[in-house]
Amino acid sequence: MTFKRLFLFFILTPIAAIIAASSLLGTLQEPQFQSRLELYQTNIVLQAQAWQPGDSQDDSSVAIRDAILGEEPLESATEKYQQTRQSVQTNLAKVQQQLAQLQSSNQVSTPPKPLPKTPPTENISISQKQQQLEQSQQKMQKFLDELDLQLGILQAKQGKTDTAIKIWGELQQSTVNSQQSIVNSQETAAVLSGLWSDPPRLLPKAQQVIQNNLSGWFRSTALIQLYQLQQRETALSEVQTAQQATAAQAVFKLAVIGTVPALAALLGVILLIFLIAQRLFKGKESLLAQNEDLPWATPWDGEIILQVFVVGFFFMGQLFVPFLLMLLPIPRPIVDIRLQAASVLVSYLLVAGGALLVMYFSLKQFFPLPRLWFKLQLRDNWFLWGFGGYCAALPIVIVVSLINQQLWQGQGGSNPLLQLALESQDFVALGIFYVTAAIAAPLFEEVLFRGFLLPSLTKYLPVWGSILASGLLFAIAHLSLSEVLPLTALGIVLGVVYTRSRNLLAPMLLHSLWNSGTLISLFLLGSGN
């Protein structure tokens, strides 16, 4: 065995595996993005339920509103907020318990007179872990207080003012810490309690507190209550007019977010039933059986596979590119959303370029490559495979995601790009995010995972085994525990589409449609909050 192979197998690969595992475990205490996303959608439902479709109130408009919003939207929103609050409270208790154990063990293990020359590596590690836990605790506590403010307003709007005042009263008595965000929440709770008390109490600067600390439907609801008590007819009329305009926009957004994916998912269910039935009745002549047992002719071995992924993908993405970007004279942290979007795109292109270069030089000795490798053919049925695969992936990933949420209970982290896209309302930044997620990512990741990895694995595994393995590695490469199951499911569908079509354009289209749909939904949800 050569020194290069020894170095790759026994040094670089274990290092890559340890760092990847550490990154995955590091997301364990991070909040899952899906919980926030569902609340954003719930908030748009709350905005939309205030919509009054004209003076005539014709039956068709009311029917459309009810079909989009469902029955009793306030009750449904309250239930969703209560579920989220319970999940956050459970995770907060876990973090507090871990923090207490860490502080206790640190006190016990620390000698009364430490030697001055003792390396402080272990203490630094403990200190960093404690700092991460404290930051998680602060974020969760802030989120919990926001939920309490909003839950109180939901209860008050349903006539349960005693419950609402009790929630706000407990928040005012909270003595968790003196963070400014906690103080603001307590001040807002006092204002809201006064508005819905009997008799009402109007505190000084109530309007400013509401405008600064509440948003969306919750802000307009509190302002309407305030202006009614103050008998400010002009201000009340302005808020109600703005609320109607926002409600009409919210109905449209919900129609787009809910109807388009629902129709695609329904088409996907029909397509899956058809393909499975065809497979059962036609066997090897069915579409799903097309090329299912046909492996690629792979002239290289596992060393090349490891070399591309460990050196090209992992070390480029996790070590070399981040180090290179740190050398750039850019003030950190980057605050401007356009610079953040540009930074994400540039770093992704550097990672992709580095990985593709390593792959090119690793495979150069095997040129010309055997038939079907990295096939890109426009005159083919790749569009049908790509679009059909997207529709079929929707119901599969939705079901897996529902199971996944129950497993992780709001924890496990998420792709930070999703949060940036959700909160950004800058069209330039969103355009850059789109180029990254819907163009660059499908091109690079499909070349690497479906174009190179999946066919290479068919040298050692059957085609179905290669699809499963490449799908799992595709999910793990995103370094987020809560996304491993859904992305594995998506990766499997991408693998099936590629092995059956034998054209990289098909999974590229599927991948691009998936990311495009996600970004458009995030933009619409974010613009309503």
Side-chain angles (χ1 to χ4, degrees), residues 161 165 168 190-201 225 229:
T161 53
I165 290 173
W168 294 325
V191 168
L192 295 174
S193 294
L195 292 180
W196 271 277
S197 294
D198 187 16
R201 303 186 317 273
Q225 181 74 5
L229 293 172

Side-chain angles (χ1 to χ4, degrees), residues 383-399:
F383 183 85
L384 293 176
W385 276 107
F387 180 74
Y390 169 72
C391 294
L394 275 170
I396 293 172
V397 177
I398 287 171
V399 171

Side-chain angles (χ1 to χ4, degrees), residues 344-345 348 417-418 430-446 505 507-520:
V344 170
L345 176 60
Y348 192 88
L417 178 60
L418 299 178
L430 286 167
I432 298 172
F433 285 138
Y434 184 85
V435 171
T436 304
I439 299 176
L443 292 175
F444 166 60
E445 292 174 16
E446 293 314 306
L505 291 175
M508 284 177 179
L509 174 63
L510 193 167
H511 201 150
S512 180
L513 288 173
W514 188 272
N515 288 357
S516 297
T518 301
L519 282 176
I520 292 171

Side-chain angles (χ1 to χ4, degrees), residues 23 26 46 66 118 128 139 150 191-192 218 220 301 407 412:
S23 298
L46 288 172
D66 293 344
T118 301
Q128 289 175 342
K139 288 179 182 178
Q150 294 159 338
V191 168
L192 295 174
F218 299 99
S220 61
D301 57 12
L407 290 174

Side-chain angles (χ1 to χ4, degrees), residues 446-464:
E446 293 314 306
V447 168
L448 191 65
F449 286 95
R450 255 62 62 181
F452 170 74
L453 178 62
L454 193 159
S456 297
L457 291 175
T458 59
K459 183 170 185 174
Y460 303 98
L461 298 170
V463 173
W464 65 266

Side-chain angles (χ1 to χ4, degrees), residues 53-89:
D55 297 332
S56 61
Q57 289 287 306
D58 57 287
D59 294 338
S60 60
S61 298
V62 174
I64 291 172
R65 182 188 63 187
D66 293 344
I68 293 173
L69 301 182
E71 297 181 0
E72 300 178 337
L74 283 177
E75 288 82 351
S76 300
T78 303
E79 184 180 353
K80 173 57 66 178
Y81 266 83
Q82 287 171 337
Q83 289 174 353
T84 303
R85 189 191 187 284
Q86 184 177 0
S87 175
V88 173
Q89 196 168 30

